[in-house]
Amino acid sequence: QQQVKQSPQSLIVQKGGISIINCAYENTAFDYFPWYQQFPGKGPALLIAIRPDVSEKKEGRFTISFNKSAKQFSLHIMDSQPGDSATYFCAARGGDYKLSFGAGTTVTVRA
Amino acid sequence: KAGVTQTPRYLIKTRGQQVTLSCSPISGHRSVSWYQQTPGQGLQFLFEYFSETQRNKGNFPGRFSGRQFSNSRSEMNVSTLELGDSALYLCASSLSADQPQHFGDGTRLSIL
């Protein structure tokens, strides 16, 4: 059973547009929520992460929004570029320190 | 600083064989975790090691095992390989279990 539900499965955005990926979780023991970016033939690379005591975190063009009461968090990619075309995974971790991943979102940025 | 190194990058085996995969963590990282990635099941946690001790195990059969050495390098072993074991096996390391995990590029295992 997937502990973290991620949507959409894929999205296409024009260059300069905003990509939004949503994730939801049930386990209230989760206390760390990272996002990973994966290119074909490569392992996932840590992009940005947030803890539940913060509602928003921004790093460059990437922003995480976190809604603790709704048990939801999302990734916003601003000014999307062709080089952002990749698969993005949300994840969550609790006291057992193992990461539970969403199913992934394939983002395609059209030039 | 060198990243997480996994060897070999590709492996082809037949059913019933066994395989050993290797992971060298980032220098100074003591926690090593293993994940299996498949198109159908996504990324699934296998196990985590810290200071040569397995502290967590995912829902995988006993055919999947691992170990960690005193230099934090880790190996994963799969015995009696099945077709369904075909996957990308990823290793991630972190300074400690509560720190961010950094992944290697994985070992692509194909079972014929």
Side-chain angles (χ1 to χ4, degrees), chain A residues 3-6 22-26 70-73 90:
Chain A
Q3 292 204 58
V4 180
K5 292 186 177 4
Q6 183 173 347
N22 300 300
C23 286
Y25 64 98
E26 287 297 325
K71 291 185 281 187
Q72 294 175 349
F73 58 111
C90 62

Side-chain angles (χ1 to χ4, degrees), chain B residues 3 5 7 10 20 23-24 35 67 74 96:
Chain B
T5 303
T7 57
Y10 303 92
T20 299
C23 172
S24 292
Y35 295 82
R67 59 178 176 168
S74 177
S96 58

Side-chain angles (χ1 to χ4, degrees), chain A residues 3 10 13 16 26 38-39 42 45 56 81 95 99 101 107 109 111:
Chain A
Q3 292 204 58
S10 63
V13 63
E26 287 297 325
Q38 187 175 28
F39 292 104
K42 294 289 191 179
E56 186 175 282
Q81 300 296 312
L99 286 171
F101 284 88
V107 173
V109 182

Side-chain angles (χ1 to χ4, degrees), chain A residues 21-92:
Chain A
I21 306 169
N22 300 300
C23 286
Y25 64 98
E26 287 297 325
N27 189 345
T28 55
F30 288 150
D31 62 1
Y32 173 72
F33 302 87
W35 284 87
Y36 284 85
Q37 178 190 56
Q38 187 175 28
F39 292 104
K42 294 289 191 179
L46 181 63
L47 199 57
I48 186 173
I50 198 168
R51 293 194 184 271
D53 54 343
V54 176
S55 61
E56 186 175 282
K57 183 175 181 180
K58 184 176 179 179
E59 287 184 5
R61 295 184 294 107
F62 300 91
T63 300
I64 300 179
S65 297
F66 189 86
N67 186 329
K68 188 175 180 178
S69 61
K71 291 185 281 187
Q72 294 175 349
F73 58 111
S74 60
L75 176 70
H76 294 229
I77 307 174
M78 314 299 285
D79 188 25
S80 296
Q81 300 296 312
D84 297 333
S85 296
T87 300
Y88 294 81
F89 294 93
C90 62

Side-chain angles (χ1 to χ4, degrees), chain B residues 8 11 13 17-21 76-81 89 107 109 111:
Chain B
L11 263 179
K13 293 286 186 180
Q17 286 187 309
Q18 74 165 17
V19 68
T20 299
L21 313 182
M76 190 190 100
N77 184 276
V78 188
S79 62
T80 320
L81 287 165
Y89 289 90
T107 293
L109 176 62
I111 312 301

